[in-house]
Amino acid sequence: MRRAREQLLFVKAGGHGHVALAATSTVGLTVLPIALEAFMQRMPQAKVSLTEDAGTVALRKLAD
């Protein structure tokens, strides 16, 4: 979480950054499209990676 916050602050300050997201299929189909669209409108320079996994698998991947 700390790394994600740091990257978001960097991008918000005008830099280029990479944000890694992991979501379950339910979140990926419901909440994420709206949130991701709003994020990309505010931070068009950001590079976003998305992984769809079960909760525990996603947490392990994001920790790496």
Side-chain angles (χ1 to χ4, degrees), residues 13-60:
H16 301 276
H18 179 239
V19 179
L21 301 170
T24 63
S25 58
T26 301
V27 172
L29 291 171
T30 57
V31 178
L32 192 58
I34 296 165
L36 193 54
E37 182 179 352
F39 174 77
M40 293 308 297
Q41 286 179 357
R42 291 187 67 196
M43 315 249 183
Q45 301 294 333
K47 181 185 255 185
V48 178
S49 298
L50 176 61
T51 301
E52 179 187 353
D53 277 311
T56 54
V57 175
L59 286 174
R60 266 195 315 259

